[in-house]
Amino acid sequence: MNYIVLDLEWNQASDAGDDRSKMLTFEIIEIGAVKLNSRMEITDTFHELIQPQVYDEMHKITEKLIHIHMTELEGCRKFEEVMKDFLAWCGGEFVFGTWGSLDLMVLQRNMVFFGMNPLGEGPLKFYDIQKLFSIAYEDGKSRKSLEYAVDFLKFAKDIPFHRAISDAYYTARVLQLIKDPVALQRFSYDTFSLPKNHKSEIHVVFDNYAKYISRPFQDKEALLADREVISTRCYLCHRNLRRKIKWFTPNGKHYYSVSYCDKHGFMKGKIRIKKADGDMVYAIKTTKFVSENEALQIQMKKEKAKEMRRLHRQK
């Protein structure tokens, strides 16, 4: 098993009203990647600039940040050619790693726009190394910059940041230094391609919580009527649990519940409703065991949401 640590640089419309942004918001202009083997040793690198086909001028902020000028991209190969070679370079069995969760989404949007198939038929498992760093060295919730992580881990900053190959190299170095087995179990899932049906939905249990990724639904009402979406099943003993606090929402996007397991205690449920293509929606549900005090806090959140709705109706 190899690890492909990937970083991308992309350009976008200079004018928010540019119709091209509706076709392709971010156009990739540079790919950088580092390959690590199963022992986390760096074995190879990939780097190439890409000829733009959508945007013919560089966004001012992009140019200032990454120091790439349009003249440097003249004569470069087009995205489709570079991407085919990149995938061949990746090889057979590998897992992607990125700093943050956006790169694989942008990569696949470009692939589909330029007539290629996406990376998979459903959610793609990968390492969000920014998240792993937070789990291993911070509070697990904060998301720090790549340069912060490099400074924290005290290895040399011998090449400039904000270029694809250098950021891929630094991200790979961070991954090499993460030894926490809990962190290394925490895979993320890119949801550019969603589960096609109920059978292919994602169910995964981590060290202290479980995650579920649904197929797409026509609307929120259909999603919240689905038994699997709203189920509160103990992910340790697999029993359906009675809800102490029924599903509620403080904002229309996040839904919360609390159930009780006789063996394992109070279990918090959280559903995040996300937009999918074609005006559809899908759910990411997490369930986690919490203390009685945390369960009471969720009850207070429900009461506050109820009061806010009452005040809103009065207005």
Side-chain angles (χ1 to χ4, degrees), residues 147 150 156-170:
E147 189 166 5
V150 170
K157 295 190 287 187
D158 45 12
I159 48 178
F161 285 87
H162 306 304
R163 289 297 299 266
I165 188 60
S166 56
D167 284 4
Y169 168 74
Y170 285 129

Side-chain angles (χ1 to χ4, degrees), residues 252-270:
K253 293 182 179 180
H254 297 160
Y255 288 75
Y256 298 90
S257 71
V258 174
S259 304
Y260 187 77
C261 175
D262 291 336
K263 288 183 66 177
H264 303 105
F266 293 97
M267 189 182 78
K268 171 187 173 182
K270 180 179 179 181

Side-chain angles (χ1 to χ4, degrees), residues 18-19 22 37 55 70 72 87 105 159 173 179 182 190 201 203 212 241 243 255 260 269 281 308 310:
D18 193 324
D19 288 339
K22 297 176 183 177
N37 61 22
Y55 299 112
M70 276 295 175
E72 295 179 63
L87 291 175
M105 184 71 71
I159 48 178
R173 290 292 313 279
K179 308 298 184 184
V182 171
D190 175 79
E201 291 177 326
H203 295 266
Y212 159 77
L241 304 181
R243 286 187 282 275
Y255 288 75
Y260 187 77
V281 294
M308 292 297 290
R310 187 185 68 81

Side-chain angles (χ1 to χ4, degrees), residues 23-135:
M23 299 188 303
L24 186 66
T25 306
F26 303 119
E27 182 180 19
I28 295 170
I29 55 174
E30 186 180 26
I31 294 178
V34 173
K35 183 182 291 183
L36 299 94
N37 61 22
S38 59
R39 297 184 297 277
M40 293 290 181
E41 299 165 334
I42 294 175
T43 60
D44 204 359
T45 60
F46 182 98
H47 176 236
E48 191 157 348
L49 293 171
I50 296 171
Q51 181 187 102
Q53 299 177 68
V54 177
Y55 299 112
D56 49 12
E57 62 181 39
M58 193 73 72
H59 191 285
K60 290 181 180 179
I61 295 176
T62 303
E63 187 173 31
K64 185 177 180 181
L65 182 67
I66 65 178
H67 303 292
I68 294 178
H69 305 284
M70 276 295 175
T71 53
E72 295 179 63
L73 304 178
E74 295 173 3
C76 294
R77 295 195 298 163
K78 293 181 179 180
F79 176 83
E80 309 94 294
E81 301 171 69
V82 175
M83 193 63 201
K84 287 176 183 176
D85 283 353
F86 172 65
L87 291 175
W89 173 84
C90 288
E93 195 173 345
F94 64 89
V95 172
F96 279 116
T98 60
W99 191 262
S101 60
L102 188 56
D103 287 73
L104 290 176
M105 184 71 71
V106 171
L107 181 66
Q108 292 181 94
R109 288 202 185 283
N110 276 254
M111 291 174 74
V112 170
F113 181 83
F114 290 112
M116 303 179 73
N117 292 324
L119 294 169
E121 294 185 354
L124 183 67
K125 186 166 74 170
F126 74 103
Y127 270 150
D128 178 347
I129 300 168
Q130 184 185 46
K131 181 177 78 174
L132 301 191
F133 171 80
S134 181
I135 294 168

